[in-house]
């Protein structure tokens, strides 16, 4: 069975809240790590279609296919049409909720013939440790096992299997209404043992129970929804994606489910995003809160609190963390893998973990501050950490760093980093007022110093725009966040000048926005960053420029995958998705942009109004069609 590279948008995702699997529209599982999202892969065909390993089920004859989720769930269905009949594969993983009961790490594949008669083939080709190790295969009653060291996979099915060289294969016939299950269970030393023999009679009950779980969890509109009605399903899907990337045990949310999917096909900008970044904090909490996922918002805040309590000094705080304490972050290159569509190197871990990025302190404190805006209290112990962070920022804010984009060149005085230093001090002062307590005497002075530096050195009068770094001429999309953080209001001429500069220099005709276009110390090109497009939508909406905001928003939605999933970037020439997938920050940006459009239109919403926003503007309701 030949496994060709597929476009990123031709993948769906399922998961169990510990790990995820990417399943192609051809019925092949091409990416899965076990036991956790950031653990070594067992299927990695998406990074090397010959060596990586896969678990494929598809018709022997020529076929066409399409994918869809069961409504309001993370249960994926792939339907194949052939000249002889139609068959559907339903893929799902029961979730692990850490509720005190034992759970098996299991993936179910239900194959059902809808009409006609059809012959299918199976190729089960796991490769442990990022395709470095070929397991030992063994046929057993009712299936097969494959093992390497202390890792073992059980594949259970009623279909006869055979071992062919370095994989397990089978061909089998199906007729209308016939149903066959394939059950993949993972066992690791000191973890739960698999269910054997499996009870096939209860599998549909498991499917029904999982469907009920997801449909009860997913976002529902109550009375008047702040989100545009026709965008509801798209927003709900974003919530479901965020849930898959979240770990209920730690509360952390991974930036993406994959590593090394390139920012430009054939290029070298290939990074591992299977970790939780601190800078996503406030945006994530806001998105989860407005999707009414209060528990997930609280879990995420619990993770934030665990981070700030880890270091004995503020400088000990890292920019990113693994979802599990025992997983590594240090960067390695897997030179033996070809990379997605020959995009190498393939990286695991992320060297940016050791970078100095001053903005993370502002992100942390802003996330904590936002909980007070949503009515939550802050403990005295957390307040002590906040004071230490703000005192630290007062000492180091005027030093250089690598910035939000994690530039691997020389450190600079990045305007966004200074902005977030200002946010750290500003929010520290506001939290002190909320708690009715005293602050250090130099906080107000430092806040004013940072503001003066940003306004004088970070604003280029010739360009009439804020710029990437002090005294530079580089336009950067992060400058759109200045009013959102409350430094200036949206109607300030300098803010409007910055919006115009971003649109003129970084935006494509479709409203896609590059991060920046100046040199950054790395070879090769990259696509347009989706989060930057959403920042532009936010800025336009909260400036009262709703026609432009909605036009760009709809244009971006047109470029989602058929399943409503977003990667990190989009190729502006082809409209293809680029980068790691699905990307949490892109989906968070989508949710918040829909929220801001609703707020700007004067629709009722929970929580406070956005920073820098003054009032809504009248807007005529129209129907916008999303082409899928």
């Amino acid at each position: 069975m030949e496994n060709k590279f597929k476009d990123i948008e031709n993948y769906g995702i399922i998961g169990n809240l510990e790990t995820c699997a990417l399943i192609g529209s051809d019925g092949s599982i091409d990416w899965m790590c076990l036991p956790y999202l950031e653990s070594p892969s067992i299927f990695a065909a998406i990074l090397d279609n010959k060596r990586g390993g896969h678990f494929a089920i598809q018709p022997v004859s020529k076929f066409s296919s399409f994918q869809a989720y069961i409504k309001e769930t993370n249960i994926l269905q792939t339907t194949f049409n052939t000249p002889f009949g139609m068959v559907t594969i339903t893929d799902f993983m029961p979730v692990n909720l850490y509720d005190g009961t034992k759970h098996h790490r299991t993936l179910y594949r239900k194959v059902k013939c809808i009409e006609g008669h059809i012959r299918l083939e199976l190729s089960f080709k796991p490769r442990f440790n990022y395709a470095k190790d070929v397991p030992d295969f063994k046929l057993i009653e009712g299936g097969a096992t494959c093992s390497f060291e202390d890792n073992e996979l059980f594949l259970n099915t009623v279909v006869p299997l055979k071992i062919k060289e370095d994989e397990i294969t089978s061909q089998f016939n199906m007729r209308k209404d016939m149903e066959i299950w394939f059950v993949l269970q993972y066992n690791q030393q000191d973890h739960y043992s698999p269910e054997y023999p499996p009870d096939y009679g209860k599998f549909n009950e498991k499917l029904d129970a999982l469907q009920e779980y997801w449909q009860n969890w997913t976002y529902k509109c109550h009375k008047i929804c702040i989100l545009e009605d026709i965008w509801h399903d798209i927003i709900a899907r974003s919530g479901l994606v965020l849930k898959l990337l979240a770990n209920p045990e730690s509360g952390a949310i991974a930036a993406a489910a994959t590593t090394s999917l390139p920012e430009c096909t054939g290029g070298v900008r290939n990074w591992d995003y299977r970790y939780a970044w601190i800078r996503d904090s406030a945006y994530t909490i806001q998105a989860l809160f407005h999707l009414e996922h209060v528990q997930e918002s609280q879990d995420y805040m619990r993770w934030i609190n665990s981070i700030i309590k880890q270091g004995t000094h503020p400088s000990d705080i890292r920019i990113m963390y693994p979802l599990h304490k025992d997983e590594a972050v240090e960067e390695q290159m897997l030179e033996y893998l070809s990379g997605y569509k020959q995009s190498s190197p393939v990286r695991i871990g992320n060297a940016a973990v050791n970078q100095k990025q001053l903005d993370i302190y502002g992100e942390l404190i802003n996330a904590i501050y936002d909980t007070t805006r949503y009515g939550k209290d802050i403990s005295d112990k957390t307040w002590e950490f906040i004071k230490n962070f703000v005192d630290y920022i007062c000492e180091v804010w005027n030093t250089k760093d690598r910035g939000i984009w994690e530039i691997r060149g020389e450190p600079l005085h990045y305007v966004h980093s200074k902005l977030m230093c200002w946010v750290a001090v500003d929010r520290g002062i506001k939290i002190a007022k909320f708690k009715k307590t005293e602050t250090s005497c130099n906080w107000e002075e430092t806040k004013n110093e940072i503001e003066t530096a940003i306004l004088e050195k970070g604003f280029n009068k010739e360009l009439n725009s804020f710029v990437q770094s002090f005294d530079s001429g580089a336009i950067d999309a992060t400058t759109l966040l200045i009013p959102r953080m409350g430094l200036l209001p949206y109607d300030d001429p300098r803010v409007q000048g910055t919006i115009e500069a971003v649109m003129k220099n970084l935006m494509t005709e479709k409203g896609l926005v590059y991060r920046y276009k100046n040199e950054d110390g790395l070879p090769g090109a990259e696509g347009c960053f989706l989060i930057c497009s959403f920042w532009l939508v936010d800025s336009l909406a909260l400036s009262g420029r709703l026609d432009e905001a909605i036009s760009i928003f709809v244009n971006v939605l047109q470029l989602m995958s058929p399943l409503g999933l977003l990667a990190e970037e989009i190729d502006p020439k082809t409209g293809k998705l680029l980068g790691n997938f699905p990307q949490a920050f892109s989906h968070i940006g989508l949710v918040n942009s829909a929220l801001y459009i609703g707020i700007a239109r004067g629709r009722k919403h929970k929580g406070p109004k956005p920073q820098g926003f003054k009032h809504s503007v009248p807007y005529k309701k129209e129907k916008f069609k999303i082409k899928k």
Side-chain angles (χ1 to χ4, degrees), residues 505-523:
N505 294 278
L506 301 181
M507 188 181 79
T508 70
E509 292 181 359
K510 290 288 187 180
L512 299 174
V513 179
Y514 290 95
R515 298 185 297 173
Y516 50 80
K517 287 188 176 179
N518 52 297
E519 293 294 325
D520 60 5
L522 286 171

Side-chain angles (χ1 to χ4, degrees), residues 403-469:
I404 183 175
W405 301 130
E406 301 174 357
I407 304 297
R408 299 198 176 190
E410 291 299 316
L412 294 171
H413 287 291
Y414 287 103
V415 171
H416 177 264
S417 295
K418 308 307 179 189
L419 170 67
M420 297 313 298
C421 287
W422 178 88
V423 167
V425 183
D426 175 74
R427 304 307 192 262
I429 293 170
K430 290 178 178 177
I431 292 171
K433 291 179 180 178
F434 174 79
K435 290 188 66 66
K436 298 180 181 179
T437 187
E438 296 295 322
T439 66
S440 298
C441 60
N442 66 329
W443 284 12
E444 283 285 357
E445 181 181 348
T446 301
K447 173 186 169 182
N448 293 333
E449 288 178 0
I450 301 173
E451 180 175 344
T452 298
I454 293 172
L455 297 181
E456 292 183 355
K457 298 181 180 181
F459 186 79
N460 187 310
K461 292 182 179 179
E462 292 183 7
L463 297 173
N464 191 32
S465 174
F466 287 98
V467 287
Q468 185 179 75
S469 59

Side-chain angles (χ1 to χ4, degrees), residues 143-173:
T145 66
C146 59
S147 58
F148 179 79
E149 295 182 347
D150 63 346
N151 297 281
E152 190 169 27
L153 292 173
F154 287 74
L155 177 62
N156 300 117
T157 182
V158 298
V159 171
L161 304 175
K162 63 180 180 180
I163 299 174
K164 181 181 179 181
E165 297 179 355
D166 58 357
E167 66 180 308
I168 292 174
T169 65
S170 180
Q171 288 196 1
F172 54 98
N173 297 313

